[in-house]
Amino acid sequence: MEKYDQGNAILSVYSGAGGLDAQDWATMLIRMYERYSESKGFKTKVLDQSFGEGGGPEGRIGTKSATIEIKGKFAYGFLKKENGVHRLVRISPFSQKKLRHTSFALVEVMPEIKQLDEKEIEVKPENLKIEVFRASGPGGQYVNKRETAVRIKHLPTGIIASCQSERSQANNKKRAMELLYSRLYKFYKESKKKEISKIKGEKKSVSWGNQIRSYVLHPYKLVKDLRTKVEVSTVEKVLDGDLDNFIEAEIRLKND
């Protein structure tokens, strides 16, 4: 068991190669993890979400990136192995010719960290760039007329964290700092295993050949995890949050 396994998780989803289909896929993944969390009794909250363009069927608007907080005992321990590229194959709802399309999205899972251990990682105020902006919703519409959303950039690493879920700027800044701590922890944990230059060089792109799991809806139905070799044909159930088969297999694998 690792240090933060018993605590809450911060899960981010980023759309990758595939345009509107990839943005739609990112939204589907967010829903999948929200449904999984609900089944486990975890509470979820969207901290930040960047929406894509409209134009999809039924007015569907996808997601470029989103970060959700998942609160519950062992939330991070259960979800930490979901890190990686997820691939979807389906008949595109955005294609007038009903063509098959492959989409990719990156899932990043981090432990929730309220305060970093300064003996391990020191975050100096002069190394932070803090910006405020208006929180927005689907299609770019303003949700709040005041600039309450906060974006914080850690200048030495370039890592960015933002939050727009709270009503006040002060609370959004507090949550953004906690998110930054989580991302810095993950970054420095990886840098202990390899040199930072190697980490950057080996960073996987959100595209073909780098996926950890494939979700196929056409021409057959199958979800296959490429690490554990677990396969199930009940794709709709998986997309509705039934991830137990995969997560239990991931837990049985040795920690990296």
Side-chain angles (χ1 to χ4, degrees), residues 118 121-129 152-156 177 180-181 184:
E118 292 185 1
I121 306 170
E122 184 180 9
V123 181
K124 298 179 180 179
E126 59 266 30
N127 287 335
L128 299 178
K129 180 181 180 182
I152 303 175
K153 181 176 183 179
H154 183 247
L155 299 175
M177 278 301 301
L180 183 68
Y181 291 152
L184 286 172

Side-chain angles (χ1 to χ4, degrees), residues 196-221:
I196 293 176
S197 60
K198 289 183 179 179
I199 292 174
K200 290 183 177 178
E202 294 177 3
K203 187 174 182 180
K204 294 181 178 180
S205 63
V206 190
S207 58
W208 181 271
N210 295 317
Q211 65 269 11
I212 63 167
R213 189 180 299 149
S214 290
Y215 307 71
V216 181
L217 287 166
H218 185 84
Y220 52 86
K221 293 190 176 183

Side-chain angles (χ1 to χ4, degrees), residues 33-242:
Y33 287 115
E34 287 177 332
R35 290 294 180 90
Y36 169 78
S37 299
E38 182 182 343
S39 73
K40 294 298 178 184
F42 301 154
K43 294 182 179 180
T44 62
K45 182 177 184 178
V46 176
L47 299 179
D48 186 58
Q49 188 165 8
S50 173
F51 294 94
E53 299 176 7
E58 301 174 357
R60 282 154 73 167
I61 296 176
T63 300
K64 292 180 179 179
S65 65
T67 297
I68 62 176
E69 172 190 72
I70 302 175
K71 283 185 172 290
K73 193 167 185 181
F74 285 101
Y76 177 65
F78 279 118
L79 289 164
K80 65 181 181 180
K81 293 292 185 177
E82 291 294 291
N83 270 307
V85 178
H86 295 244
R87 169 179 172 252
L88 174 70
V89 180
R90 63 173 174 174
I91 297 296
S92 172
F94 301 92
S95 171
Q96 293 182 350
K97 296 182 179 179
K98 302 299 179 183
L99 298 176
R100 190 171 66 180
H101 196 94
T102 300
S103 307
F104 300 88
L106 175 68
V107 174
E108 177 186 63
V109 186
M110 303 167 294
E112 182 186 61
I113 300 176
K114 297 291 186 182
Q115 181 66 51
L116 284 172
D117 184 347
E118 292 185 1
K119 293 179 181 178
E120 294 181 323
I121 306 170
E122 184 180 9
V123 181
K124 298 179 180 179
E126 59 266 30
N127 287 335
L128 299 178
K129 180 181 180 182
I130 301 175
E131 300 174 313
V132 296
F133 59 99
R134 293 180 183 179
S136 62
Q141 66 211 40
Y142 287 128
V143 172
N144 195 324
K145 293 182 179 180
R146 295 184 299 118
E147 293 184 334
T148 57
V150 176
R151 182 185 297 112
I152 303 175
K153 181 176 183 179
H154 183 247
L155 299 175
T157 61
I159 292 173
I160 296 173
S162 59
C163 181
Q164 57 178 316
S165 63
E166 306 295 336
R167 291 182 179 273
S168 74
Q169 186 183 117
N171 286 337
N172 277 325
K173 181 180 178 181
K174 181 173 179 282
R175 300 303 297 275
M177 278 301 301
E178 292 171 359
L179 178 56
L180 183 68
Y181 291 152
S182 295
R183 289 189 168 148
L184 286 172
Y185 169 80
K186 187 173 189 289
F187 177 85
Y188 284 111
K189 182 182 176 184
E190 290 176 343
S191 71
K192 286 181 180 179
K193 296 180 180 179
K194 301 176 182 178
E195 294 177 4
I196 293 176
S197 60
K198 289 183 179 179
I199 292 174
K200 290 183 177 178
E202 294 177 3
K203 187 174 182 180
K204 294 181 178 180
S205 63
V206 190
S207 58
W208 181 271
N210 295 317
Q211 65 269 11
I212 63 167
R213 189 180 299 149
S214 290
Y215 307 71
V216 181
L217 287 166
H218 185 84
Y220 52 86
K221 293 190 176 183
L222 183 72
V223 182
K224 180 177 181 179
D225 193 285
L226 304 181
R227 303 157 303 167
T228 63
K229 310 305 179 186
V230 171
E231 298 182 9
V232 300
S233 58
T234 53
V235 185
E236 288 83 1
K237 287 182 64 177
V238 172
L239 293 175
D240 205 32
D242 187 4

